[in-house]
Amino acid sequence: MNVLSLQFLMLAAVTCILLWILPKSWRPVLVGIGCACFLGMLSKPVHWIYALCLIGYTWGMGELLKTHHDQRLFAGMIAIPVMGLCIFKYAGYFSNVSLITPLGLSFYTFKAISYLSDRYAGKLEQQNLLLVFDYLAFFPTFEAGPINRPAPFFEELKQPFHFDYQDQKNGAFQCACGIFEKLVIADELGYLANTIFQSHLTGWYLSLGMILYAFNLYADFDAYSNLAIGISRMMGFHLPANFHTPYLAHSLKDFWRRWHISLSSWLKDYVYIPLGGSHKGYLRKCINIVIVFLVSGFWHGSTVMFVLWGLGHGVIMVLEDLLRVKLGSKPWLKYLKIPAVLLNYIIVTALWALFRSPDLATAGTILSSVFHPCSISWQAIGMTLNEYVWMFILLSIMIVTDLLRNRWNMIEGVAKCPWFVRWLLYAVMLVLFLIFANYGTAYNPSDFIYVTF
């Protein structure tokens, strides 16, 4: 289900209203009803049947851990959801059988593993079936995260719901920012990137296409995260930010502290640290880093290109770490911060070529384009002059807002502005939204990109 559909937005609105007006102690039941309605509205039975099976399995195994605290049993418990994820995602790659991948599979599988791992480690008390259902089927984050942790979620879920005007106002504004970012920025950049890639042009045209794709991917996923976090906040759940100006990172390590933060922190806590982290020697640390990013590649997609994308991140992070150890804390390094940010953006964008391409030949063509300079003509691409101008305006908006967000919390900051400044911003956003929603080149909004992973 598209989270920008009327059905989804109505479900979110009705759930919030019921939480506001009905007894505070009904919160787990009302959240459960909202999640059940969401599952019931999914287009194919496989989407909700598998989710319900995994939810029941996760709760049952959590019950078993109360009396059987055995490492081999726990490993077997974790293996089942991992096998389910692999079967649905990779069956078509290794055979002629093509299975419909359940919506949100990658995200709620990792949440199930979090729940069982925290139960086994003694960090979490056993929860009843309704609470586990609310956590795994939580509809604002069901399709594409963030991958919120169980303990903070259960803590807030068990608290009586209290209407907080600041939460409602800021949550609604964050939702509006997500919708605006998707329809006005992400879809438009995606349309322009696809126009370039479908034009069969070469040289710097492909490099321009990758720049647009990199910002499109960021804007699209950040838009979904803002929408999910905003709706959750209006329901009384405070989820951590999932992005923090990732293209201003000065290294890949810094990039993964800022990009898809819920996934990178999950991989650190449930893969890197259990493997030994950095406590079993430097060589083992490097191997663990590569393993973590191979897992990330497998998690994202079912082709060898995603594996190579993850491997590329892992290898470069190891090389960065070796360089960091060799250089230490030289005083002159602070003067290289801006070049480091630019170099890191180039590396990340180059790796996105592996992420986007169906095969190595296509990725090679894109990566080699930077060595074939040519003048860029919007007529050759098939753009109108207005589209060409808007391309630079949208890229400028993203760069400027990220520079501001790097030091300023936009949601909280806007809430503190005088009322006439806030309403002027709302009016500008509304006008741009109406223009792009009705007349923009990408006015028919596609599904969010990360829903497919």
Side-chain angles (χ1 to χ4, degrees):
M1 179 195 297
N2 192 323
V3 296
L4 295 182
S5 65
L6 180 61
Q7 296 96 318
F8 182 89
L9 296 177
M10 286 296 295
L11 173 63
V14 170
T15 304
C16 289
I17 292 170
L18 292 177
L19 285 168
W20 300 342
I21 64 177
L22 292 179
K24 298 178 175 61
S25 59
W26 290 17
R27 188 181 193 183
V29 175
L30 294 174
V31 171
I33 291 172
C35 295
C37 291
F38 172 82
L39 293 178
M41 289 190 291
L42 297 180
S43 57
K44 293 181 173 63
V46 67
H47 296 313
W48 57 265
I49 290 175
Y50 184 80
L52 291 179
C53 289
L54 185 60
I55 290 167
Y57 171 83
T58 303
W59 172 77
M61 293 301 100
E63 286 283 330
L64 189 60
L65 284 172
K66 286 196 298 188
T67 54
H68 297 76
H69 198 268
D70 181 79
Q71 188 174 15
R72 287 174 298 180
L73 176 63
F74 169 69
M77 289 179 181
I78 297 298
I80 298 299
V82 172
M83 285 174 57
L85 178 66
C86 292
I87 289 170
F88 277 106
K89 295 197 77 161
Y90 307 119
Y93 185 73
F94 293 104
S95 68
N96 293 324
V97 179
S98 182
L99 300 176
I100 298 173
T101 303
L103 187 69
L105 173 66
S106 298
F107 293 89
Y108 63 72
T109 296
F110 272 20
K111 289 170 71 174
I113 293 171
S114 295
Y115 176 80
L116 292 175
S117 298
D118 288 359
R119 284 282 299 120
Y120 177 75
K123 299 177 182 177
L124 186 68
E125 295 295 324
Q126 172 64 5
Q127 310 297 322
N128 65 45
L129 181 56
L130 174 61
L131 298 184
V132 174
F133 174 79
D134 287 351
Y135 172 59
L136 294 182
F138 190 57
F139 69 88
T141 65
F142 186 86
E143 294 187 38
I147 308 170
N148 55 308
R149 300 301 178 84
F153 181 85
F154 290 133
E155 184 179 347
E156 290 192 311
L157 182 60
K158 292 175 183 178
Q159 296 295 321
F161 178 83
H162 292 286
F163 182 91
D164 184 278
Y165 174 72
Q166 198 70 16
D167 267 351
Q168 300 304 317
K169 181 179 72 172
N170 290 353
F173 180 60
Q174 193 158 2
C175 288
C177 287
I179 295 172
F180 178 87
E181 191 174 12
K182 170 63 175 172
L183 294 182
V184 176
I185 298 177
D187 281 353
E188 187 70 14
L189 291 177
Y191 166 80
L192 296 174
N194 289 333
T195 298
I196 291 174
F197 286 118
Q198 291 168 6
S199 65
H200 305 295
L201 295 169
T202 57
W204 280 1
Y205 287 103
L206 293 180
S207 299
L208 175 61
M210 280 310 305
I211 292 172
L212 293 172
Y213 176 72
F215 279 98
N216 163 231
L217 193 62
Y218 169 33
D220 192 275
F221 197 15
D222 188 48
Y224 182 95
S225 295
N226 279 324
L227 187 61
I229 293 170
I231 293 173
S232 300
R233 187 166 184 174
M234 295 174 71
M235 294 171 62
F237 297 94
H238 297 80
L239 306 185
N242 207 24
F243 287 88
H244 179 62
T245 62
Y247 291 149
L248 295 180
H250 55 77
S251 66
L252 275 189
K253 184 177 181 179
D254 188 31
F255 173 80
W256 282 100
R257 290 194 187 111
R258 298 163 174 262
W259 176 277
H260 204 343
I261 299 169
S262 64
L263 173 63
S264 54
S265 63
W266 190 98
L267 290 169
K268 176 186 175 183
D269 292 344
Y270 297 103
V271 180
Y272 180 70
I273 291 176
L275 286 172
S278 59
H279 300 295
K280 294 188 176 182
Y282 191 74
L283 177 61
R284 181 64 179 271
K285 173 188 174 181
C286 295
I287 293 172
N288 290 341
I289 290 172
V290 173
I291 291 173
V292 164
F293 282 98
L294 282 174
V295 171
S296 178
F298 276 110
W299 180 84
H300 276 87
S302 57
T303 71
V304 70
M305 298 306 296
F306 289 100
V307 178
L308 292 175
W309 170 79
L311 181 63
H313 274 274
V315 170
I316 293 175
M317 279 193 69
V318 168
L319 295 175
E320 279 184 354
D321 197 61
L322 288 169
L323 185 62
R324 194 177 298 113
V325 170
K326 188 171 183 62
L327 291 177
S329 55
K330 306 287 186 184
W332 50 267
L333 288 174
K334 61 183 179 181
Y335 299 109
L336 298 179
K337 189 170 183 179
I338 293 177
V341 169
L342 295 174
L343 176 61
N344 190 67
Y345 173 75
I346 292 170
I347 292 171
V348 170
T349 304
L351 290 169
W352 285 137
L354 298 174
F355 192 86
R356 187 188 192 280
S357 302
D359 51 55
L360 273 173
T362 305
T365 300
I366 293 172
L367 291 173
S368 64
S369 66
V370 71
F371 302 108
H372 298 87
C374 63
S375 59
I376 303 293
S377 166
W378 53 269
Q379 295 98 331
I381 297 173
M383 291 182 183
T384 65
L385 179 59
N386 286 342
E387 289 170 351
Y388 195 66
V389 171
W390 266 111
M391 176 184 73
F392 285 103
I393 291 175
L394 294 176
L395 290 175
S396 300
I397 289 173
M398 291 202 67
I399 292 169
V400 170
T401 53
D402 262 19
L403 287 170
L404 294 174
R405 287 198 298 175
N406 197 42
R407 296 184 177 275
W408 181 55
N409 186 315
M410 185 178 70
I411 303 300
E412 304 296 336
V414 170
K416 295 176 182 178
C417 289
W419 68 267
F420 59 88
V421 175
R422 294 200 311 272
W423 282 99
L424 177 61
L425 176 63
Y426 301 157
V428 171
M429 289 176 63
L430 180 61
V431 169
L432 287 173
F433 167 76
L434 291 175
I435 291 172
F436 276 83
N438 289 285
Y439 305 109
T441 52
Y443 69 90
N444 188 18
S446 58
D447 286 332
F448 287 86
I449 295 172
Y450 253 76
V451 170
T452 63
F453 298 130

